[in-house]
Amino acid sequence: MRAVGGGTSALKSGVKRLLGRAGFDIVRSTNNLGGVDDFIPFEATMRAAQAAGLSVGDHIDEVMNGTPGATQATIDELRALGVFAANPNTVLEIGPGSGRYLEKTLKECSPDRYEIYETAAPWANYLVDTFSVVAQPTAGCSLAPTPDGSIDLVQAHKVFNTVTFLCASRYFFEMARVTRPGGRIVFDAMTETCLDPTAVVAWATQGGAGHGSYPAAMPRRTCVDLFATLGCGLEASFLAPMGVATTEVLVFEKRA
């Protein structure tokens, strides 16, 4: 979203306040997909986190989103479901942004290789320098540099409710492709489980004007049925905070 004319500063300020409540890590990208752009600036966020004495991820949860502990709560749920029990040796994350889920994932397991697909160069460079992850070339909806069946855990958090339906769907094919038999696929989507009338009213009246593709709904049955055709069965799901309502985290296992 880009403002034009004299209202630029006020509009940008309003957008940042809105996205501070949204709970996802969208950052400036030179490859703008579905109208998502420029929402968690690197330098300003780093300065604010340091001034508050918080990690970047905790600053985003506590200060920007107003949902203290939300990221950790998701990780705790995944731990309880056994996602980290096998100590995945290879992990791939789509759209890690500030790395708030990445950082907490690395406290749960010690993979030999952690790949990221991140379009925002400042954040990608920061994650490489800080966590020694591997930043792969990003085409926007492809994981082409990653070989078939090579990843134990593929995850994406607060990504597929910010991009278009087709972009998300193309990523789903790729996620199934790169996951090894027995591996897990974890992501969240704003499914109909999250969209009862009260939630729809909240989005329509409190969620702001939106910005292009956000918030993007995704039919739950579409996800489950599509992954089933790709050899992946739904193991579990749970709700997590997002914006003025929730998003649904889905956990799939790639069958042998």
Side-chain angles (χ1 to χ4, degrees), residues 123-223:
W123 283 114
N125 293 336
Y126 161 75
L127 296 178
V128 170
D129 292 342
T130 304
F131 300 105
S132 299
V133 296
V134 177
Q136 294 283 30
T138 304
C141 57
S142 169
L143 307 176
T146 302
D148 295 359
S150 62
I151 303 296
D152 296 313
L153 171 61
V154 176
Q155 63 178 346
H157 299 278
K158 308 295 171 58
V159 171
F160 298 131
N161 29 51
T162 69
V163 298
T164 63
F165 172 82
L166 286 181
C167 180
S169 299
R170 288 164 182 151
Y171 265 128
F172 292 164
F173 285 104
E174 286 288 85
M175 294 164 83
R177 177 185 66 79
V178 303
T179 303
R180 69 163 180 81
R184 279 355 195 304
I185 297 171
V186 175
F187 63 90
D188 67 285
M190 195 171 73
T191 67
E192 60 270 31
T193 306
C194 314
L195 291 172
D196 61 28
T198 300
V200 174
V201 169
W203 280 113
T205 60
Q206 304 170 39
H211 62 278
S213 60
Y214 176 80
M218 170 66 70
R220 189 179 197 273
R221 179 51 55 187
T222 297
C223 292

